Structures are given as C-alpha cells and as structure tokens.
Amino acid sequence: MAKKSKLPRQADPSRLPPYDEDGEGLHVVIETPKGSRNKYAFDKTKEIFALTKVLPAGMAFPYDFGFVPSTCSEDGDPVDVLVLMDEPAAVGCLLSCRIIGVIEGEQGNKKDPERNDRIIAIEQANHSFADIRHVRDLGKQFVRELEDFFVNYHELSGTKYRVLDVRGPGEAEKRIKDGIRAFKKS
C-alpha cells in the first residue's frame, strides 16, 4: 500500500484574486514562457501545469502567455493574457501587470464563432516596455506580428482565428470584468 504524501497542498492558481492587494496590478499566472515551443496549461482536475502542445521548429511564443485568475471567458477558460517583459517568466509564476490593450478575436467557423480575446499587458517591474501605456504605443508592425502569431498558432490546430480589432486598455478592462462576473456565476 502506497503511503500518502505529507507535502502541503498548493493553492489552485486559477482561483487567486484577479488583482493585487492595492488593485493597481492585474494578476497573471504564466502558463507558457516567452521563447518556448512547448505550450503548457493549468489542468484544474490534476492541479498541475501540463504540456498540451509542441509548436513546430521555427515557431515559439513571442512573449509570456498566461491567464487572469478567477475569470472565465467565452471559451470556458480563464481570460488569456500575453505579457510583454524583459525576460521569460517561469511556468506557474504570478506576475503583477499593467493592462495596455486587447486583441479581439474569434475562432471556429463563421456560422458558430467563439470569441477568444487576448489581453495585452506589461509586467510592472520590467524595463523594456516601461513607457508603454496603450497598445498603439507598440507600433503597427509590432501589433501586426502579435496578431499573426495567434492566427498561425490556431492554424496549426486546424482552427480558424480571425482578428476582429485591437483596442486599448479601457476595452481590455471591460473584458476582464466580464470574465470576473462569469467566473462568479460558474
């Protein structure tokens, strides 16, 4: 008979508060670090980060990718966030971020599309993006490359992803508040 582990249970990161104590920083739990070809996701049933996909050679996550805890988006997952910062964070790392915008998108077929927006945020203590306050401050080419990443990423899974618009921090904040309300209802 196997002995039960006496290690303390870790808190479920998907249930942490969505904002830090002073309400200034958005909490983001990193699932996939910048530069990784491996896509990780938090598995709620097993309470662990699991490998879900390996991207092909030459394709990697351009920045850290994670989620806002205690939120639920239209696709049933927590609200997605792409975090711009100086160096990659570790899988499972909790960051405090400043919201700068949202890439509004939908996936699936045109008859029954599903919204799948991506919040864009800046980690609070970084240096490279310290002066960025709005997604438009990144420049059109930079934003277009982020859009192209998500389109190509979904294409690898045989899913169509369409970018609907790119909006600023006010609209991104609305999406997060919608996600918090949906999480409380579930």
Side-chain angles (χ1 to χ4, degrees):
M1 187 170 180
K3 289 177 108 179
K4 283 192 171 184
S5 173
K6 294 189 181 198
L7 294 173
R9 278 181 73 116
Q10 287 191 310
D12 177 348
S14 67
R15 297 182 111 19
L16 292 168
Y19 292 94
D20 60 18
E21 295 76 27
D22 61 10
E24 293 293 315
L26 179 71
H27 277 159
V28 178
V29 176
I30 296 303
E31 290 180 301
T32 304
K34 171 184 176 178
S36 179
R37 287 180 49 207
N38 293 335
K39 167 67 172 92
Y40 303 98
F42 183 71
D43 183 321
K44 291 181 194 177
T45 57
K46 296 177 183 160
E47 297 181 335
I48 195 164
F49 288 87
L51 178 68
T52 60
K53 185 186 297 189
V54 178
L55 300 180
M59 186 172 185
F61 277 79
Y63 292 95
D64 292 297
F65 189 75
F67 64 87
V68 180
S70 297
T71 62
C72 185
S73 60
E74 191 175 308
D75 67 359
D77 292 334
V79 172
D80 293 326
V81 184
L82 188 70
V83 179
L84 310 179
M85 60 188 281
D86 301 310
E87 294 293 325
V91 173
C93 185
L94 179 65
L95 303 178
S96 180
C97 299
R98 177 178 73 253
I99 303 162
I100 64 163
V102 58
I103 295 174
E104 296 175 333
E106 62 183 19
Q107 63 190 37
N109 62 46
K110 288 193 177 199
K111 288 183 180 180
D112 191 27
E114 182 176 67
R115 281 299 286 265
N116 195 351
D117 299 333
R118 282 15 195 282
I119 304 298
I120 308 296
I122 307 285
E123 195 277 328
Q124 301 264 39
N126 87 94
H127 301 279
S128 299
F129 298 95
D131 296 329
I132 303 296
R133 298 287 176 234
H134 193 285
V135 68
R136 72 174 164 255
D137 298 338
L138 296 170
K140 289 180 182 177
Q141 181 62 32
F142 189 98
V143 173
R144 191 173 12 259
E145 289 173 8
L146 296 180
E147 293 172 21
D148 288 346
F149 170 77
F150 289 117
V151 168
N152 293 326
Y153 172 80
H154 282 275
E155 193 173 286
L156 290 172
S157 303
T159 307
K160 181 90 172 148
Y161 185 82
R162 288 172 295 287
V163 174
L164 303 173
D165 202 357
V166 178
R167 313 264 312 259
E171 195 60 36
E173 188 70 47
K174 288 179 190 174
R175 296 290 187 288
I176 294 164
K177 288 189 187 322
D178 290 345
I180 292 169
R181 279 191 292 276
F183 180 81
K184 288 179 180 176
K185 287 181 183 177
S186 65

